[in-house]
Amino acid sequence: MCCTTALLDASLAAAADGKPSFSADPLATWQTDGIVWSLAAANGVVYVGGTFDNVRPPGAAPGQQQVKRRNFAAFDAVTGKLLPCAPSFTGHHHTVRAMKASADGRVLYVGGSFNRVGSTAVANAVAFDTSTCTLSKTFRPSVSATVRAVEPTDRAIYLGGDFSRIGGQPRNRVAAVTPQGALLPFRADVDLPVRALAAATSHGRLFVGGDFESVNGQGARSLVTLNPTSGKTVLTYPNWFPPLSSVKTIARDKTRFYVGAEGHGPGIFDGRIAGRLTNGTLVWKDTCRGATQAIVPYEGVLYSASHAHDCDETPGGFPERGDRQHLLAQSLDNRKILHWFPDTNDGLGEHVGPRALAVSRGTLWVGGEFTQVNGADQQGLTRFGARDTGAPDVPVLAVSGTGPGAVTLTWRASSDRDDASLTYRIYRDGKLVAQQTKTSTYWDMPKMSHTDTAPPGSHRYAIEVTDGTNTSPRSDAVTVTVPPKTDRTRAAGGPR
Ligand SMILES: [Ca+2]
């Protein structure tokens, strides 16, 4: 009885923690020659927007095998194949900063700082028919400055950014336009740029995040909930963010909303928050440092793009080590950092690594400033599927002692980017003589040892480590000469 309950509790705990749906091993992916700022998915296609002039195939060095793509490209989410849909976004700051498809996937809305798509004059926001890759003739709002967030709903397409007018009408940094492109009466005055939007219209809420301190003439720092029809303030979050912490990304699922922030100065908040859609109350908050740029909830796990460090106070997190972890997975339920540690470098621009995430057809796409993924050259884009293909690093085996009839071997635990529990196998003269299983992370690789009872003479020892799917190469062998047991050691019961 006790044991059945214990097992049930254990399996419930595992379910609550969530398990990443993706391995930490990147799939072959096309690259950009600049920064990816935005990703969107519709009908198995992933759209990539940013500041770049060309894309190039997986494995190609910078400048090689380039294909022209001006700040926009489209790929098959699963095969990664480059697709022909290739409108060029030019003019102004020629950058695509925000993209999202309609719920039915038929229309892709695009915002940024541009005044031409192909040869057509536009103003910072457009829409495409995804089946034909043609520019909408009706959705052409004339936005006075950069669009940084787009949130389509059935009745309204919400835009956020730096602007103060749409179609000549005053709209301060947030606005709503019909799917046909007509400005809606929705109005809210936000004092500083809007960087993130998420609609929960069935709950009567539009979540708005950004750099601001004031909304509709009242104090509202970094995050506010507005009435999606009128723009009136529904809720503010007065104690959630210290000064100079901007909300960079908002996502939602059926019951909760999730927020990621980038802070500056003392007491900053750089991490992630989960809140309840129904009443806006806080569920959890993590305190990892390293500005969060993008989040995506998927199958019980919140994936985030940041340059996390000093994450010791969050369960499953790591201490300050002077390095950065650019991709994280954490439990949606309780914020616990899960054992999933693919990584990028800082890369170009502001040197913050990844900036955008999207999941399509079981593949996680990541875009940003990076030029390396898991230590290998890969610029601007990468993606992760379910298959674990990476083996743990092989440990260095050493002999710490020999005695009559025995050899003590030591090594430091290895680490694996997506498996905490690793099994170490010890071979003597090519024959498996022992194995041990131990958990480790890249910041905690404990010392391990094994004492082998061996016949006298010369022996060659080697070690390998497996994550259960992939096994490292076997280590170089170390040669040891084991002295015979003397009468005294026999009497004493073996080596000491
Ligand atoms: Ca693995």
Side-chain angles (χ1 to χ4, degrees):
M1 196 64 188
C2 68
C3 303
T4 312
T5 311
L7 275 175
L8 192 65
D9 287 349
S11 69
L12 281 175
D17 280 352
K19 188 175 173 352
S21 306
F22 310 105
S23 87
D25 305 317
L27 297 165
T29 309
W30 279 68
Q31 310 175 72
T32 59
D33 65 350
I35 297 169
V36 172
W37 285 91
S38 180
L39 295 170
N43 309 318
V45 174
V46 167
Y47 298 94
V48 176
T51 312
F52 51 86
D53 291 323
N54 298 283
V55 295
R56 63 181 188 273
Q64 303 297 306
Q65 301 178 58
Q66 293 191 136
V67 180
K68 199 92 193 150
R69 289 290 188 274
R70 297 296 303 277
N71 306 310
F72 181 97
F75 299 92
D76 183 292
V78 176
T79 67
K81 195 176 151 224
L82 178 66
L83 300 175
C85 179
S88 65
F89 286 74
T90 56
H92 286 324
H93 296 104
H94 55 86
T95 183
V96 170
R97 291 300 176 98
M99 297 191 293
K100 195 161 179 184
S102 58
D104 62 11
R106 288 186 183 176
V107 183
L108 178 71
Y109 295 92
V110 183
S113 177
F114 48 83
N115 62 15
R116 272 186 193 279
V117 173
S119 59
T120 307
V122 298
N124 303 319
V126 295
F128 285 86
D129 180 316
T130 54
S131 62
T132 58
C133 188
T134 52
L135 193 61
S136 162
K137 288 190 168 63
T138 54
F139 188 87
R140 298 273 179 88
S142 176
V143 186
S144 66
T146 306
V147 172
R148 300 184 184 275
V150 175
E151 178 72 345
T153 66
D154 289 348
R155 290 190 190 161
I157 315 307
Y158 297 93
L159 304 175
D162 302 359
F163 51 84
S164 57
R165 300 184 91 76
I166 292 198
Q169 301 297 308
R171 289 291 185 278
N172 285 313
R173 300 175 184 91
V174 65
V177 181
T178 66
Q180 293 72 38
L183 186 65
L184 283 161
F186 168 96
R187 183 166 173 180
D189 291 311
V190 182
D191 68 337
L192 287 168
V194 166
R195 296 181 182 274
L197 295 168
T201 43
S202 61
H203 292 84
R205 284 156 201 260
L206 176 73
F207 292 87
V208 180
D211 305 349
F212 48 83
E213 290 281 343
S214 165
V215 176
N216 292 328
Q218 295 193 313
R221 178 178 289 159
S222 311
L223 179 69
V224 68
T225 308
L226 303 177
N227 180 298
T229 306
S230 67
K232 286 200 166 71
T233 301
V234 177
L235 268 179
T236 60
Y237 300 83
N239 302 314
W240 282 28
F241 304 96
L244 305 176
S245 274
S246 300
V247 167
K248 301 295 293 282
T249 174
I250 310 175
R252 58 158 292 197
D253 55 24
K254 284 196 174 115
T255 57
R256 290 178 181 177
F257 63 98
Y258 307 92
V259 171
E262 170 171 350
H264 300 278
I268 67 167
F269 174 64
D270 267 351
R272 292 146 298 268
I273 290 175
R276 293 177 189 85
L277 279 181
T278 48
N279 57 13
T281 54
L282 187 125
V283 179
W284 56 252
K285 180 176 188 173
D286 79 54
T287 53
C288 303
R289 299 279 294 273
T292 307
Q293 307 296 335
I295 53 174
V296 59
Y298 182 71
E299 294 185 339
V301 174
L302 187 68
Y303 297 88
S304 59
S306 72
H307 53 271
H309 60 103
D310 192 1
C311 200
D312 216 12
E313 288 173 15
T314 300
F318 35 84
E320 179 63 68
R321 297 162 22 106
D323 60 2
R324 294 166 149 199
Q325 171 62 43
H326 296 81
L327 293 164
L328 287 180
Q330 61 197 130
S331 164
L332 281 180
D333 280 345
N334 60 22
R335 83 199 157 125
K336 184 180 174 190
I337 307 283
L338 305 172
H339 193 105
W340 183 78
F341 300 108
D343 199 14
T344 74
N345 65 347
D346 291 338
L348 315 170
E350 291 176 30
H351 315 293
V352 298
R355 284 194 172 275
L357 300 170
V359 178
S360 178
R361 307 254 160 108
T363 305
L364 172 66
W365 284 68
V366 180
E369 303 184 337
F370 51 85
T371 57
Q372 291 196 324
V373 176
N374 290 357
D377 287 348
Q378 174 71 28
Q379 186 175 357
L381 278 175
T382 188
R383 60 201 182 103
F384 300 92
R387 245 183 87 207
D388 186 345
T389 56
D393 292 336
V394 60
V396 176
L397 191 64
V399 174
S400 68
T402 54
V407 177
T408 299
L409 301 156
T410 58
W411 66 96
R412 189 170 283 285
S414 195
S415 77
D416 183 274
R417 291 182 186 275
D418 49 26
D419 289 288
S421 178
L422 302 178
T423 297
Y424 300 81
R425 298 180 187 136
I426 304 282
Y427 292 86
R428 184 210 311 134
D429 303 324
K431 184 174 156 250
L432 181 67
V433 290
Q435 60 179 25
Q436 281 184 29
T437 298
K438 189 135 191 109
T439 60
S440 58
T441 61
Y442 70 84
W443 65 92
D444 183 13
M445 300 191 286
K447 273 195 160 171
M448 299 179 69
S449 70
H450 173 70
T451 298
D452 182 46
T453 305
S458 177
H459 298 294
R460 288 164 60 79
Y461 285 94
I463 190 169
E464 68 186 20
V465 53
T466 181
D467 65 6
T469 307
N470 310 290
T471 302
S472 74
R474 206 168 292 177
S475 71
D476 289 340
V478 288
T479 303
V480 188
T481 301
V482 176
K485 288 188 185 180
T486 63
D487 285 349
R488 236 178 65 202
T489 55
R490 269 191 215 111
R496 278 179 277 191

